[in-house]
Amino acid sequence: MGAVDGDRVKQRRRGVKLEHAVLSAAWDELVAVGYARLTMESVAARARTGIAVLYRRRANKDQMVLAAIEHYRNSHPVAVPDTGSLSGDLLALLTSMSEARATFFAIAAATAFSGLLADAALTPAELRDRILGGAPLSIPQVVYQRAHDRGEIDLGSVPPAVLVMPFDLVRHDLLMDLRPLEPARIHSIINDLFIPLVQRRSGQSGPTS
């Protein structure tokens, strides 16, 4: 492709398209070389755009990387299942989350500990929230609402801290082990810990599936 053709490509990529291209390139560069070796210039080269384009959007490397992490997470959502039971829905959802997020957590953790935490001037909790994003119950809310409508749980009796527990445990394991959880571990989180607890809170007993 000649210089004129390249210029035409750049001209066509504006707004959302250009932002997507830049952030996708930043994520790919982060995966390829790591945070320490990533530069604004290397991201611009991978995105096939000018360095000034990057600096108009983000002031520095750590802001670019944080935006790339958030963009990757938001553009790769985990599908919400509908198996007909709370236990089945959580098993499918947490398994998908574990498999889909293992690489993401590995890259994000390596990035945080290789300089992003210091460069971004964030506390570990603030950085965690930026990486995980969104309200803690935003993804599973529909699963819990369906279970409530089926009479499996009483959402009015179950504290948010309990509802978020299985997802926090999966995230913890992903951050500690940097690989998908074993099926037996996910099954235990759901059926040994979570389901009995929400049943007691809901005034129920016995299996929900």
Side-chain angles (χ1 to χ4, degrees):
M1 179 182 291
V4 174
D5 291 336
D7 290 341
R8 288 173 180 169
V9 170
K10 292 177 186 178
Q11 289 172 4
R12 286 197 296 268
R13 294 189 309 171
R14 295 179 178 175
V16 174
K17 279 189 176 181
L18 181 56
E19 178 76 349
H20 175 82
V22 167
L23 295 180
S24 295
W27 173 263
D28 290 343
E29 187 70 3
L30 185 63
V31 173
V33 305
Y35 180 78
R37 294 176 58 194
L38 179 147
T39 66
M40 296 290 270
E41 289 78 9
S42 67
V43 172
R46 186 179 286 268
R48 297 176 57 243
T49 191
I51 188 68
V53 171
L54 272 62
Y55 280 110
R56 283 199 296 269
R57 286 163 170 76
R58 309 286 166 349
N60 50 43
K61 168 176 150 177
D62 56 90
Q63 290 185 18
M64 176 62 66
V65 168
L66 278 171
I69 290 173
E70 292 167 354
H71 174 75
Y72 181 88
R73 183 196 66 233
N74 293 334
S75 60
H76 293 77
V78 177
V80 180
D82 187 4
T83 67
S85 74
L86 177 58
S87 178
D89 284 352
L90 287 176
L91 180 62
L93 181 56
L94 291 176
T95 298
S96 296
M97 175 182 166
S98 172
E99 294 172 350
R101 291 288 191 248
T103 298
F104 171 80
F105 272 77
I107 297 299
T111 300
F113 291 115
S114 62
L116 178 60
L117 181 59
D119 290 351
L122 298 173
T123 67
E126 289 170 338
L127 184 60
R128 177 202 62 203
D129 291 343
R130 288 290 300 272
I131 290 173
L132 296 181
L137 295 177
S138 59
I139 294 177
Q141 188 61 53
V142 63
V143 168
Y144 292 138
Q145 186 61 53
R146 287 173 183 160
H148 176 84
D149 294 342
R150 288 191 298 259
E152 292 182 273
I153 60 173
D154 177 11
L155 283 177
S157 301
V158 183
V162 173
L163 294 176
V164 80
M165 181 187 71
F167 297 88
D168 283 346
L169 289 175
V170 169
R171 291 188 183 107
H172 172 272
D173 284 14
L174 285 171
L175 282 171
M176 292 298 101
D177 299 331
L178 302 180
R179 65 174 183 268
L181 279 68
E182 294 292 334
R185 169 62 172 163
I186 296 177
H187 185 278
S188 180
I189 289 172
I190 297 167
N191 293 304
D192 295 338
L193 301 176
F194 180 71
I195 293 296
L197 182 56
V198 295
Q199 284 178 338
R200 285 198 298 272
R201 286 283 184 171
S202 301
Q204 300 174 3
S205 62
T208 62
S209 59

